[in-house]
Amino acid sequence: MDKLKQTMLTVDELTEQFLNEFNKEDASAEQSAKAMAEFVFNVSEKANEQVLREYQELRNVTDKQILENRGIRTLTSEETRYYNEVKKSGGKFDDLLMPETIVERVFKDLQEDRPLLRLIQFVPGVGRQKIITGKRHGKAVWGPLHKNLEGQLEASFAASTTTLHVLTAYFIISNDTLDLGPTWIDRFVRICLQEAVADAWEEAIISGTGKDQPIGLMKDLKGSVVEGVYPDKKVAGTLTFKDAQTMVGELSALMKGLSKYEFKYTNLAGEENTEKRNRKVRGKVYLIVNPENYFDIVGRVTTQNAAGVFVTNLPFIPQDHIIESNEVPVNKLIAYVDGEYDATVSSANRIYESKERFVIERATLKAIDLFGDGKPIDNYAAQIYDIKIPASETVVP
């Protein structure tokens, strides 16, 4: 593709272009490799251009708060030493241990930029670990002072082993960026890692199959797993947002459905039990939809008040709890209970030079392995709905 045309494309457009080429059924290995090379080269070029532009604009700014607000952060002493070594070596990352704080900041920035990732608590992890979860059941009993104990509080515990999967990010750093010094090298590295990680994690959280990747909210944890792949959940219902009265009924049923769950536990006597419970979900439910459907929904609940101000009201769910994600299929909706997805992340200690042949003629490719895993806490963390908004209907009056 013409280089000028590539430069004009946004990162999202470059990503879409790459995936279209990379995922073609009839694409040869050479074509897929070429698509990957073009994507990495152009995204890295855009990141280099952005850093150089920001440097020219902000190089005389000394106010740390202004710089932080623009994404130019104050480095720790360890990070400064690391990037100074990178600069002195001419971009040779290989023999240098990368401070953990760099990747931690990448995920913090991601959560600020991506509303979906803001819902997920990313915790540090190791290659293989055991996770212990517990829930209390039973209740205390009221009675007179000195009465014999009758109430008994028990807790159920479950253990699961998680193996982190690898997510490799690539970038190409220019000498011009290296010459700017530690703060700006850091800015470049974080931009590239964010671009590489953001879409991959969103896709995993929404529709990850569980095979060599996390398990997504759309997957059925109780379904039959075929060659490591979890099946999709069955649709829990249909949302039409037809009118005010219909919306109240549809969303109250949605909230009621999410308030119910069940769990299995082993009591102190060693007996296995399944208990049906209810939970409070008011203020905790998020609706995750494709951007196309976001405006369909918001448009139906937006009205103009007597003062001429447009206001948006959705029954039971605040507007900022409607989350857009390109990874959700059009006309599908995920109703998710906040805090019900566990994610673990870790990173390799080094950035290394990739030996991939598809970029050998373009530049030296840098790569970093980011490890992660994630899955819903249980099958009640989210429910899937179809969206069928009548095309002929007008917006709610």
PDB file of all heavy atoms in Angstrom, residues 137 154-158 263-275:
ATOM      1  N   HIS A 137     -21.494 -19.073  53.919  1.00  0.00           N
ATOM      2  CA  HIS A 137     -22.911 -19.428  53.939  1.00  0.00           C
ATOM      3  C   HIS A 137     -23.288 -19.789  55.372  1.00  0.00           C
ATOM      4  O   HIS A 137     -22.433 -19.939  56.243  1.00  0.00           O
ATOM      5  CB  HIS A 137     -23.211 -20.589  52.980  1.00  0.00           C
ATOM      6  CG  HIS A 137     -22.410 -21.814  53.237  1.00  0.00           C
ATOM      7  ND1 HIS A 137     -22.835 -22.836  54.035  1.00  0.00           N
ATOM      8  CD2 HIS A 137     -21.173 -22.173  52.789  1.00  0.00           C
ATOM      9  CE1 HIS A 137     -21.915 -23.792  54.060  1.00  0.00           C
ATOM     10  NE2 HIS A 137     -20.902 -23.420  53.316  1.00  0.00           N
ATOM     11  N   GLU A 154     -20.354 -21.215  58.060  1.00  0.00           N
ATOM     12  CA  GLU A 154     -19.428 -22.063  57.337  1.00  0.00           C
ATOM     13  C   GLU A 154     -18.948 -21.314  56.101  1.00  0.00           C
ATOM     14  O   GLU A 154     -19.517 -20.299  55.711  1.00  0.00           O
ATOM     15  CB  GLU A 154     -20.112 -23.369  56.911  1.00  0.00           C
ATOM     16  CG  GLU A 154     -20.599 -24.214  58.083  1.00  0.00           C
ATOM     17  CD  GLU A 154     -21.328 -25.463  57.626  1.00  0.00           C
ATOM     18  OE1 GLU A 154     -21.634 -25.536  56.414  1.00  0.00           O
ATOM     19  OE2 GLU A 154     -21.581 -26.340  58.442  1.00  0.00           O
ATOM     20  N   ALA A 155     -17.930 -21.799  55.522  1.00  0.00           N
ATOM     21  CA  ALA A 155     -17.419 -21.182  54.295  1.00  0.00           C
ATOM     22  C   ALA A 155     -17.085 -22.276  53.297  1.00  0.00           C
ATOM     23  O   ALA A 155     -16.610 -23.347  53.673  1.00  0.00           O
ATOM     24  CB  ALA A 155     -16.181 -20.344  54.585  1.00  0.00           C
ATOM     25  N   SER A 156     -17.386 -22.015  52.053  1.00  0.00           N
ATOM     26  CA  SER A 156     -17.035 -22.956  50.991  1.00  0.00           C
ATOM     27  C   SER A 156     -15.809 -22.428  50.270  1.00  0.00           C
ATOM     28  O   SER A 156     -15.683 -21.231  50.032  1.00  0.00           O
ATOM     29  CB  SER A 156     -18.194 -23.097  50.007  1.00  0.00           C
ATOM     30  OG  SER A 156     -18.473 -21.865  49.385  1.00  0.00           O
ATOM     31  N   PHE A 157     -14.904 -23.314  49.930  1.00  0.00           N
ATOM     32  CA  PHE A 157     -13.685 -22.928  49.250  1.00  0.00           C
ATOM     33  C   PHE A 157     -13.520 -23.743  47.985  1.00  0.00           C
ATOM     34  O   PHE A 157     -13.906 -24.912  47.922  1.00  0.00           O
ATOM     35  CB  PHE A 157     -12.460 -23.146  50.156  1.00  0.00           C
ATOM     36  CG  PHE A 157     -12.435 -22.252  51.358  1.00  0.00           C
ATOM     37  CD1 PHE A 157     -12.977 -22.676  52.561  1.00  0.00           C
ATOM     38  CD2 PHE A 157     -11.892 -20.988  51.273  1.00  0.00           C
ATOM     39  CE1 PHE A 157     -12.957 -21.851  53.667  1.00  0.00           C
ATOM     40  CE2 PHE A 157     -11.872 -20.154  52.380  1.00  0.00           C
ATOM     41  CZ  PHE A 157     -12.402 -20.578  53.584  1.00  0.00           C
ATOM     42  N   ALA A 158     -12.967 -23.117  46.975  1.00  0.00           N
ATOM     43  CA  ALA A 158     -12.686 -23.822  45.724  1.00  0.00           C
ATOM     44  C   ALA A 158     -11.293 -23.429  45.255  1.00  0.00           C
ATOM     45  O   ALA A 158     -10.860 -22.292  45.441  1.00  0.00           O
ATOM     46  CB  ALA A 158     -13.720 -23.451  44.657  1.00  0.00           C
ATOM     47  N   PHE A 263     -24.123 -21.881  43.987  1.00  0.00           N
ATOM     48  CA  PHE A 263     -22.747 -22.364  44.080  1.00  0.00           C
ATOM     49  C   PHE A 263     -22.715 -23.689  44.823  1.00  0.00           C
ATOM     50  O   PHE A 263     -23.606 -24.023  45.614  1.00  0.00           O
ATOM     51  CB  PHE A 263     -21.848 -21.341  44.777  1.00  0.00           C
ATOM     52  CG  PHE A 263     -22.189 -21.104  46.233  1.00  0.00           C
ATOM     53  CD1 PHE A 263     -21.535 -21.808  47.234  1.00  0.00           C
ATOM     54  CD2 PHE A 263     -23.140 -20.171  46.589  1.00  0.00           C
ATOM     55  CE1 PHE A 263     -21.847 -21.578  48.580  1.00  0.00           C
ATOM     56  CE2 PHE A 263     -23.453 -19.938  47.917  1.00  0.00           C
ATOM     57  CZ  PHE A 263     -22.805 -20.640  48.915  1.00  0.00           C
ATOM     58  N   LYS A 264     -21.696 -24.453  44.505  1.00  0.00           N
ATOM     59  CA  LYS A 264     -21.508 -25.741  45.155  1.00  0.00           C
ATOM     60  C   LYS A 264     -20.468 -25.594  46.257  1.00  0.00           C
ATOM     61  O   LYS A 264     -19.502 -24.849  46.116  1.00  0.00           O
ATOM     62  CB  LYS A 264     -21.034 -26.776  44.130  1.00  0.00           C
ATOM     63  CG  LYS A 264     -22.073 -27.103  43.067  1.00  0.00           C
ATOM     64  CD  LYS A 264     -21.555 -28.161  42.104  1.00  0.00           C
ATOM     65  CE  LYS A 264     -22.608 -28.487  41.049  1.00  0.00           C
ATOM     66  NZ  LYS A 264     -22.132 -29.527  40.084  1.00  0.00           N
ATOM     67  N   TYR A 265     -20.677 -26.298  47.354  1.00  0.00           N
ATOM     68  CA  TYR A 265     -19.724 -26.233  48.448  1.00  0.00           C
ATOM     69  C   TYR A 265     -19.720 -27.543  49.210  1.00  0.00           C
ATOM     70  O   TYR A 265     -20.643 -28.360  49.116  1.00  0.00           O
ATOM     71  CB  TYR A 265     -20.060 -25.077  49.390  1.00  0.00           C
ATOM     72  CG  TYR A 265     -21.368 -25.255  50.146  1.00  0.00           C
ATOM     73  CD1 TYR A 265     -21.396 -25.821  51.422  1.00  0.00           C
ATOM     74  CD2 TYR A 265     -22.575 -24.861  49.579  1.00  0.00           C
ATOM     75  CE1 TYR A 265     -22.588 -25.985  52.105  1.00  0.00           C
ATOM     76  CE2 TYR A 265     -23.772 -25.015  50.259  1.00  0.00           C
ATOM     77  CZ  TYR A 265     -23.773 -25.581  51.525  1.00  0.00           C
ATOM     78  OH  TYR A 265     -24.963 -25.751  52.188  1.00  0.00           O
ATOM     79  N   THR A 266     -18.660 -27.756  49.958  1.00  0.00           N
ATOM     80  CA  THR A 266     -18.535 -28.923  50.828  1.00  0.00           C
ATOM     81  C   THR A 266     -18.582 -28.437  52.260  1.00  0.00           C
ATOM     82  O   THR A 266     -17.772 -27.597  52.672  1.00  0.00           O
ATOM     83  CB  THR A 266     -17.216 -29.670  50.566  1.00  0.00           C
ATOM     84  OG1 THR A 266     -17.163 -30.056  49.185  1.00  0.00           O
ATOM     85  CG2 THR A 266     -17.113 -30.909  51.443  1.00  0.00           C
ATOM     86  N   ASN A 267     -19.543 -28.931  53.052  1.00  0.00           N
ATOM     87  CA  ASN A 267     -19.679 -28.455  54.430  1.00  0.00           C
ATOM     88  C   ASN A 267     -18.667 -29.141  55.346  1.00  0.00           C
ATOM     89  O   ASN A 267     -17.850 -29.966  54.906  1.00  0.00           O
ATOM     90  CB  ASN A 267     -21.118 -28.638  54.934  1.00  0.00           C
ATOM     91  CG  ASN A 267     -21.535 -30.105  54.960  1.00  0.00           C
ATOM     92  OD1 ASN A 267     -20.711 -31.017  54.990  1.00  0.00           O
ATOM     93  ND2 ASN A 267     -22.846 -30.335  54.967  1.00  0.00           N
ATOM     94  N   LEU A 268     -18.724 -28.797  56.612  1.00  0.00           N
ATOM     95  CA  LEU A 268     -17.749 -29.327  57.571  1.00  0.00           C
ATOM     96  C   LEU A 268     -17.853 -30.835  57.725  1.00  0.00           C
ATOM     97  O   LEU A 268     -16.899 -31.488  58.148  1.00  0.00           O
ATOM     98  CB  LEU A 268     -17.947 -28.643  58.934  1.00  0.00           C
ATOM     99  CG  LEU A 268     -17.709 -27.121  58.953  1.00  0.00           C
ATOM    100  CD1 LEU A 268     -17.967 -26.567  60.343  1.00  0.00           C
ATOM    101  CD2 LEU A 268     -16.301 -26.802  58.487  1.00  0.00           C
ATOM    102  N   ALA A 269     -19.002 -31.383  57.380  1.00  0.00           N
ATOM    103  CA  ALA A 269     -19.180 -32.847  57.474  1.00  0.00           C
ATOM    104  C   ALA A 269     -18.685 -33.557  56.220  1.00  0.00           C
ATOM    105  O   ALA A 269     -18.763 -34.785  56.125  1.00  0.00           O
ATOM    106  CB  ALA A 269     -20.665 -33.168  57.711  1.00  0.00           C
ATOM    107  N   GLY A 270     -18.188 -32.785  55.253  1.00  0.00           N
ATOM    108  CA  GLY A 270     -17.686 -33.389  54.029  1.00  0.00           C
ATOM    109  C   GLY A 270     -18.754 -33.651  52.985  1.00  0.00           C
ATOM    110  O   GLY A 270     -18.487 -34.327  51.986  1.00  0.00           O
ATOM    111  N   GLU A 271     -19.939 -33.106  53.194  1.00  0.00           N
ATOM    112  CA  GLU A 271     -21.035 -33.323  52.247  1.00  0.00           C
ATOM    113  C   GLU A 271     -21.057 -32.225  51.190  1.00  0.00           C
ATOM    114  O   GLU A 271     -20.896 -31.049  51.498  1.00  0.00           O
ATOM    115  CB  GLU A 271     -22.377 -33.330  53.005  1.00  0.00           C
ATOM    116  CG  GLU A 271     -22.455 -34.392  54.084  1.00  0.00           C
ATOM    117  CD  GLU A 271     -23.658 -34.182  55.002  1.00  0.00           C
ATOM    118  OE1 GLU A 271     -24.107 -33.023  55.132  1.00  0.00           O
ATOM    119  OE2 GLU A 271     -24.134 -35.178  55.577  1.00  0.00           O
ATOM    120  N   GLU A 272     -21.289 -32.614  49.941  1.00  0.00           N
ATOM    121  CA  GLU A 272     -21.360 -31.638  48.851  1.00  0.00           C
ATOM    122  C   GLU A 272     -22.788 -31.144  48.703  1.00  0.00           C
ATOM    123  O   GLU A 272     -23.736 -31.928  48.704  1.00  0.00           O
ATOM    124  CB  GLU A 272     -20.870 -32.258  47.543  1.00  0.00           C
ATOM    125  CG  GLU A 272     -19.371 -32.535  47.527  1.00  0.00           C
ATOM    126  CD  GLU A 272     -18.879 -32.889  46.145  1.00  0.00           C
ATOM    127  OE1 GLU A 272     -19.709 -32.972  45.222  1.00  0.00           O
ATOM    128  OE2 GLU A 272     -17.659 -33.090  45.982  1.00  0.00           O
ATOM    129  N   ASN A 273     -22.926 -29.839  48.589  1.00  0.00           N
ATOM    130  CA  ASN A 273     -24.253 -29.229  48.475  1.00  0.00           C
ATOM    131  C   ASN A 273     -24.243 -28.151  47.392  1.00  0.00           C
ATOM    132  O   ASN A 273     -23.198 -27.586  47.050  1.00  0.00           O
ATOM    133  CB  ASN A 273     -24.667 -28.582  49.797  1.00  0.00           C
ATOM    134  CG  ASN A 273     -24.822 -29.606  50.911  1.00  0.00           C
ATOM    135  OD1 ASN A 273     -25.810 -30.327  50.965  1.00  0.00           O
ATOM    136  ND2 ASN A 273     -23.831 -29.661  51.794  1.00  0.00           N
ATOM    137  N   THR A 274     -25.410 -27.879  46.852  1.00  0.00           N
ATOM    138  CA  THR A 274     -25.605 -26.761  45.933  1.00  0.00           C
ATOM    139  C   THR A 274     -26.653 -25.849  46.539  1.00  0.00           C
ATOM    140  O   THR A 274     -27.742 -26.292  46.896  1.00  0.00           O
ATOM    141  CB  THR A 274     -26.072 -27.233  44.550  1.00  0.00           C
ATOM    142  OG1 THR A 274     -25.081 -28.080  43.985  1.00  0.00           O
ATOM    143  CG2 THR A 274     -26.299 -26.048  43.617  1.00  0.00           C
ATOM    144  N   GLU A 275     -26.315 -24.584  46.655  1.00  0.00           N
ATOM    145  CA  GLU A 275     -27.217 -23.646  47.313  1.00  0.00           C
ATOM    146  C   GLU A 275     -27.594 -22.524  46.352  1.00  0.00           C
ATOM    147  O   GLU A 275     -26.729 -21.938  45.700  1.00  0.00           O
ATOM    148  CB  GLU A 275     -26.535 -23.067  48.551  1.00  0.00           C
ATOM    149  CG  GLU A 275     -27.442 -22.186  49.402  1.00  0.00           C
ATOM    150  CD  GLU A 275     -26.776 -21.791  50.712  1.00  0.00           C
ATOM    151  OE1 GLU A 275     -26.142 -22.661  51.334  1.00  0.00           O
ATOM    152  OE2 GLU A 275     -26.895 -20.605  51.085  1.00  0.00           O
TER     153      GLU A 275
END
